[in-house]
Amino acid sequence: REPEEEEETEYVEGTSQDEQPTKKSRRDERSQRRSQEDEAPPSQEEEEKPPVEPPKEAAGHDANERRKFKLYVDQMTKSYRTDPHPEKRIKSHKDDDEAPAGAKKEKERAEALAEAELDVLVKKMARYLLLRGTKRLPIVKSKLGEVMGDYRKNRITSYVLQRAADELRKTWGYELVQAPDRCGDYEYKGNARDSMYLVHKKKARGPDHAALTTNGLDDSSAASRGLLLTCLSIAQAQGGSVRETELYRLLNSLDERIADEPPAKTSQARGSIPDVGHVAKHVESYVQQQYLVAYKDAEDENCLQLGPRALVDVGRFQIAQFTSDALGHEAVDPSIITEIQDSVRDDAAAQAAQG
């Protein structure tokens, strides 16, 4: 067995022959030197060095600390609501009094099937709606026939859809809502007009529910939601639509890490930001989810319009609230609320004229 190494020491003579020499390790020496340095008076350079001032808070910081990006509250109804567009909820199959004659005949055809057979179809439709909805993907009416399979020829898709919507409302607290027809002067077309979305029931919406939906979000998901609301705020401030080049320019003015112009293709996006990733890929996903609608203007420039899901799931009032909070304002400018209310009424009038 090899002998253990002894700690290297030096001996200090005592004051008398009777005293034993004091054993002093290198560790003790280092501790002694540090204590002597701590007790030493500050040098002249250190005394003359000016104190470091804490960074100044951005404008509106105090207001944001108090508000914490709250939800918009309607002062008349005291409710936390999204865009008050005309009611687009998919109604229950039990609403026989409001159902047109064609819907009643469809119900008769569906109920002619065996009960177990019909239940399988309803559960299949409900799973499809839930999977699409929880991924924030639009549910396109024209593609529901694929879910029905061979039963498509029975012409009972609308009835099965209503039954599935009832299941989701009762079990999960979701409502199936159709896309509004327009936003201001912009009329939705194609899939943006033919889509439906899963949203939480109005009675469940409020600050407590909002806190639950954001609880446990990782940094990347939280950053994506913040970026979405920022894009929606910019589009709304531009009258509901913004050129893609202008969007990137304004995003860059908020954060220099974001490119000041869009990439030619999303796959060519550069400059990934920690906890955010590529902004271009996020913007592309917002278009796929129909929070934004992409189109070209008269000068063939790529533009982004507030999409139907932005109205149904967020709403112009909530976008205005987010913008106000971000700017540090104590409350949303009443003139902005009036402008949104006028726009909502115009949308409803235009839809009624078309209907």
Side-chain angles (χ1 to χ4, degrees), residues 153-191:
K153 61 187 178 182
N154 293 52
R155 295 182 296 161
I156 57 174
T157 302
S158 295
Y159 177 79
V160 172
L161 176 67
Q162 288 179 324
R163 286 278 301 269
D166 285 346
E167 288 292 322
L168 295 180
R169 189 181 301 112
K170 180 176 64 176
T171 307
W172 299 95
Y174 284 117
E175 285 186 335
L176 189 61
V177 181
Q178 297 181 47
D181 297 328
R182 61 193 305 119
C183 177
D185 295 333
Y186 186 87
E187 185 175 346
Y188 298 122
K189 300 175 182 178
N191 285 347

Side-chain angles (χ1 to χ4, degrees), residues 136-301:
R136 298 181 180 274
L137 295 173
I139 299 161
V140 182
K141 297 178 189 176
S142 59
K143 295 184 179 180
L144 294 179
E146 300 174 6
V147 182
M148 297 294 293
D150 293 338
Y151 289 91
R152 181 168 37 189
K153 61 187 178 182
N154 293 52
R155 295 182 296 161
I156 57 174
T157 302
S158 295
Y159 177 79
V160 172
L161 176 67
Q162 288 179 324
R163 286 278 301 269
D166 285 346
E167 288 292 322
L168 295 180
R169 189 181 301 112
K170 180 176 64 176
T171 307
W172 299 95
Y174 284 117
E175 285 186 335
L176 189 61
V177 181
Q178 297 181 47
D181 297 328
R182 61 193 305 119
C183 177
D185 295 333
Y186 186 87
E187 185 175 346
Y188 298 122
K189 300 175 182 178
N191 285 347
R193 188 186 180 98
D194 189 41
S195 293
M196 297 174 288
Y197 314 99
L198 273 190
V199 299
H200 292 284
K201 290 192 296 187
K202 289 185 178 181
K203 291 182 180 179
R205 296 178 190 175
D208 294 337
H209 176 73
L212 286 173
T213 57
T214 55
N215 185 30
L217 277 182
D218 56 31
D219 292 340
S220 178
S221 299
S224 178
R225 293 192 182 186
L227 178 62
L228 168 61
L229 279 169
T230 303
C231 292
L232 298 181
S233 297
I234 291 174
Q236 180 158 295
Q238 301 280 331
S241 177
V242 61
R243 282 185 172 179
E244 198 172 13
T245 52
E246 180 68 3
L247 174 65
Y248 276 83
R249 185 188 70 79
L250 292 171
L251 289 175
N252 174 261
S253 69
L254 297 173
D255 190 333
E256 293 182 350
R257 297 175 300 174
I258 300 176
D260 59 357
E261 58 182 12
K265 295 181 179 179
T266 305
S267 58
Q268 298 174 356
R270 296 181 180 179
S272 177
I273 302 174
D275 294 329
V276 178
H278 296 286
V279 171
K281 293 182 179 179
H282 282 290
V283 173
E284 184 180 60
S285 71
Y286 302 153
V287 172
Q288 291 174 346
Q289 295 165 350
Q290 295 183 355
Y291 283 107
L292 294 168
V293 173
Y295 72 99
K296 288 184 180 291
D297 62 11
E299 298 178 12
D300 204 35
E301 291 284 345

Side-chain angles (χ1 to χ4, degrees), residues 26-147:
R26 290 185 175 177
R27 184 181 303 160
D28 295 333
E29 287 183 344
R30 288 194 296 270
S31 300
Q32 185 178 359
R33 282 198 299 271
R34 281 196 294 267
S35 62
Q36 290 174 351
E37 290 174 358
D38 293 339
E39 294 174 359
S43 63
Q44 185 176 0
E45 292 181 357
E46 291 177 343
E47 289 180 348
E48 294 177 354
K49 187 181 294 184
V52 179
E53 295 183 2
K56 294 181 179 180
E57 302 291 359
H61 170 77
D62 293 338
N64 283 338
E65 282 297 305
R66 290 192 296 272
R67 296 184 64 78
K68 296 292 185 184
F69 296 109
K70 293 182 179 179
L71 297 178
Y72 171 78
V73 184
D74 185 275
Q75 295 303 315
M76 295 294 292
T77 62
K78 302 298 181 183
S79 63
Y80 299 87
R81 63 180 185 178
T82 55
D83 226 47
H85 55 80
E87 183 58 62
K88 288 284 197 173
R89 178 177 66 86
I90 299 297
K91 296 180 180 179
S92 172
H93 73 286
K94 298 178 182 179
D95 298 334
D96 293 332
D97 296 338
E98 301 178 13
K104 292 179 180 179
K105 291 181 178 180
E106 185 172 345
K107 179 181 179 181
E108 292 174 0
R109 289 195 297 269
E111 293 180 346
L113 297 174
E115 185 176 349
E117 197 174 10
L118 183 59
D119 285 345
V120 169
L121 282 175
V122 171
K123 290 178 180 178
K124 185 179 179 181
M125 181 68 75
R127 281 197 300 271
Y128 175 80
L129 299 178
L130 190 61
L131 286 173
R132 295 284 296 182
T134 53
K135 292 180 180 179
R136 298 181 180 274
L137 295 173
I139 299 161
V140 182
K141 297 178 189 176
S142 59
K143 295 184 179 180
L144 294 179
E146 300 174 6
V147 182

Side-chain angles (χ1 to χ4, degrees), residues 274-336:
D275 294 329
V276 178
H278 296 286
V279 171
K281 293 182 179 179
H282 282 290
V283 173
E284 184 180 60
S285 71
Y286 302 153
V287 172
Q288 291 174 346
Q289 295 165 350
Q290 295 183 355
Y291 283 107
L292 294 168
V293 173
Y295 72 99
K296 288 184 180 291
D297 62 11
E299 298 178 12
D300 204 35
E301 291 284 345
N302 293 326
C303 298
L304 294 168
Q305 164 75 35
L306 286 179
R309 190 182 188 110
L311 303 186
V312 169
D313 202 16
V314 184
R316 283 171 279 192
F317 291 110
Q318 184 57 48
I319 296 171
Q321 180 72 69
F322 174 83
T323 305
S324 178
D325 287 345
L327 294 174
H329 298 166
E330 291 295 332
V332 182
D333 189 330
S335 64
I336 295 177

